[in-house]
Amino acid sequence: MTIRVGVIGTGNIGTSHARDLAARVAGASVTALYDFDTGRAAELAAELGAAAMPGYQELISSPDVDAVLIASPDQFHAEQALACLAAGKPTMCEKPLAPVEEDARAVVEAEVALGRRLIMMGFMRRFDPGYLELKEQFGPDGIGDPLIVRNAHRNEIAPYGLDSALSITNAAIHEIDINRWLTDDEYAWVQVITGRSGPLTPEGQHDPLFLLLQTTRGTIVEVEMFVQSQIGYEVTCDVTGGLGIANMTDGRYVSTAAARRRGHSLPPQWLGRFRDAYRLQLQGWIGSLLSGGDLPGASAWDGYVGAMTANRAVESLRTGERVPVVLPDRPALYS
Ligand SMILES: NC(=O)c1ccc[n+]([C@@H]2O[C@H](COP(=O)([O-])OP(=O)(O)OC[C@H]3O[C@@H](n4cnc5c(N)ncnc54)[C@H](O)[C@@H]3O)[C@@H](O)[C@H]2O)c1
């Protein structure tokens, strides 16, 4: 049996996911594509032998589409995810679930009303071998419980333009999610600290940004978010535990030594660093649909918590104050 996937949004990541599904994910095929830019969708459709659809509704309701992958820009995710829920189709939605928490909440409410989980969030770091190995170090036989987690997330250039709120709702949302997952904990508060900006930061914006969060059990989470760092794409995570430390310094890059220099290259953007995580995430999704087992990875609830925490962080960006993160009760569907 094959899960026939329709992909909405065939830009950078949508094209990468569609090619992975077509060639590198067992049990999947790509049958339909839609992009606001119809020429772009048609080109990829010709490459993959899929149909280019006239709209996302047509793609979702197509009898040739068993499951949907949403990779359109952030502000369309919630609306398109709601349409997938209405059609009863399993959906992998790229992060964030929505830039605005109320839109993310509407998706959770629709899924709870439906009574079954259909949405998996594209927080692919949960599938990344580097983060998985890092988390394995926790516990009494390793570094103990995490006390302080230091994260850096650096892009070479701002992928969608430099807007400080977007740096949080689009980019630092990865750290918001992965640190909840790493610590198995919820946040109690968040504070965004702005300071001296880099040379490419436009007037009125802040880059880098520093996010400080504390979980309900007291773990301190720091995030340096630097979208216009110019150095390349780099994600690091260093954990101080009660019994030791663990560093996910540079993922799994090969280090070379030559001409009296030792080091490794950095990819220009995320597709290089997280190539395995994207493919493993898709394989996990398709595998669960084929077996009828539980969806792996992040849920719509995780997407909502991420969006809500990011919104509290944007509030802190504006006020400079520490902002409490208060979660509503978790619906039983996600327990
Ligand atoms: N998980 C990750 O690491 C990761 C990495 C990159 C991007 N993303 C997410 O994926 C999404 C797409 O990012 P990207 O870098 O591919 O952007 P992109 O700009 O390269 O591609 C977006 C595509 O969506 C199309 N589009 C615009 N409006 C649309 C609509 N209403 N319906 C369907 N398509 C529409 C555009 O024409 C474009 O082709 C974003 O939400 C981003 O946050 C996630």
Side-chain angles (χ1 to χ4, degrees):
M1 191 187 155
T2 301
I3 303 292
R4 300 165 305 165
V5 182
V7 178
I8 301 176
T10 56
N12 209 330
I13 198 83
T15 296
S16 164
H17 285 329
R19 287 184 177 143
D20 269 352
L21 285 165
R24 285 178 282 277
V25 172
S29 67
V30 177
T31 46
L33 302 167
Y34 167 69
D35 195 289
F36 181 73
D37 178 341
T38 51
R40 187 176 258 185
E43 209 173 295
L44 188 63
E47 176 191 322
L48 301 180
M53 307 301 282
Y56 76 83
Q57 293 283 10
E58 287 84 347
L59 179 145
I60 293 168
S61 59
S62 166
D64 296 327
V65 168
D66 303 316
V68 179
L69 192 153
I70 299 173
S72 54
D74 301 3
Q75 66 272 28
F76 302 110
H77 293 179
E79 165 194 331
Q80 293 170 347
L82 285 172
C84 293
L85 286 175
K89 297 223 169 155
T91 302
M92 203 192 97
C93 179
E94 260 308 339
K95 43 58 58 174
L97 183 50
V100 178
E101 67 180 284
E102 288 77 11
D103 294 342
R105 185 72 208 229
V107 177
V108 164
E109 280 167 7
E111 197 175 45
V112 168
L114 192 67
R116 61 196 171 107
R117 280 194 51 202
L118 288 180
I119 294 183
M120 172 173 154
M121 287 302 305
F123 283 122
M124 80 298 174
R125 292 191 190 181
R126 294 179 181 221
F127 295 83
D128 175 60
Y131 277 107
L132 286 162
E133 197 180 328
L134 186 65
K135 194 171 181 178
E136 277 169 17
Q137 312 311 312
F138 298 1
D141 298 328
I143 66 164
D145 291 333
L147 308 180
I148 300 175
V149 190
R150 296 185 180 84
N151 303 266
H153 182 168
R154 305 182 182 111
N155 294 71
E156 188 167 31
I157 49 156
Y160 314 107
L162 211 168
D163 171 304
S164 303
L166 193 64
S167 297
I168 295 171
T169 62
N170 177 276
I173 193 132
H174 272 303
E175 275 70 26
I176 288 172
D177 181 70
I178 202 67
N179 284 281
R180 272 183 77 226
W181 174 85
L182 269 179
T183 58
D184 287 318
D185 205 350
E186 300 293 354
Y187 298 118
W189 54 261
V190 58
Q191 184 166 17
V192 176
I193 297 162
T194 58
R196 194 170 169 186
S197 278
L200 299 184
T201 310
E203 191 65 32
Q205 301 296 330
H206 302 281
D207 187 51
L209 287 175
F210 189 83
L211 279 72
L212 184 61
L213 301 104
Q214 191 169 41
T215 70
T216 59
R217 287 202 291 269
T219 302
I220 295 166
V221 175
E222 303 173 0
V223 182
E224 173 199 317
M225 185 68 243
F226 195 4
V227 285
Q228 203 99 274
S229 77
Q230 304 187 68
I231 65 164
Y233 184 75
E234 184 176 55
V235 166
T236 66
C237 186
D238 300 315
V239 183
T240 301
L243 302 171
I245 59 168
N247 306 308
M248 190 194 74
T249 310
D250 45 20
R252 301 185 312 142
Y253 298 119
V254 174
S255 177
T256 54
R260 293 191 186 160
R261 292 175 74 90
R262 176 177 286 283
H264 61 81
S265 63
L266 292 176
Q269 39 93 307
W270 48 84
L271 287 175
R273 165 66 183 85
F274 288 111
R275 192 189 300 115
D276 289 345
Y278 291 124
R279 184 181 46 77
L280 291 167
Q281 169 178 248
L282 290 170
Q283 190 63 72
W285 179 50
I286 295 296
S288 78
L289 298 185
L290 285 169
S291 69
D294 288 344
L295 283 172
S299 66
W301 173 254
D302 297 316
Y304 162 68
V305 174
M308 192 262 227
T309 308
N311 280 206
R312 295 290 90 78
V314 172
E315 193 180 328
S316 175
L317 169 71
R318 298 211 174 95
T319 63
E321 302 293 323
R322 180 181 290 187
V323 180
V325 176
V326 182
L327 285 183
D329 289 341
R330 183 193 288 249
L333 184 64
Y334 305 105
S335 57

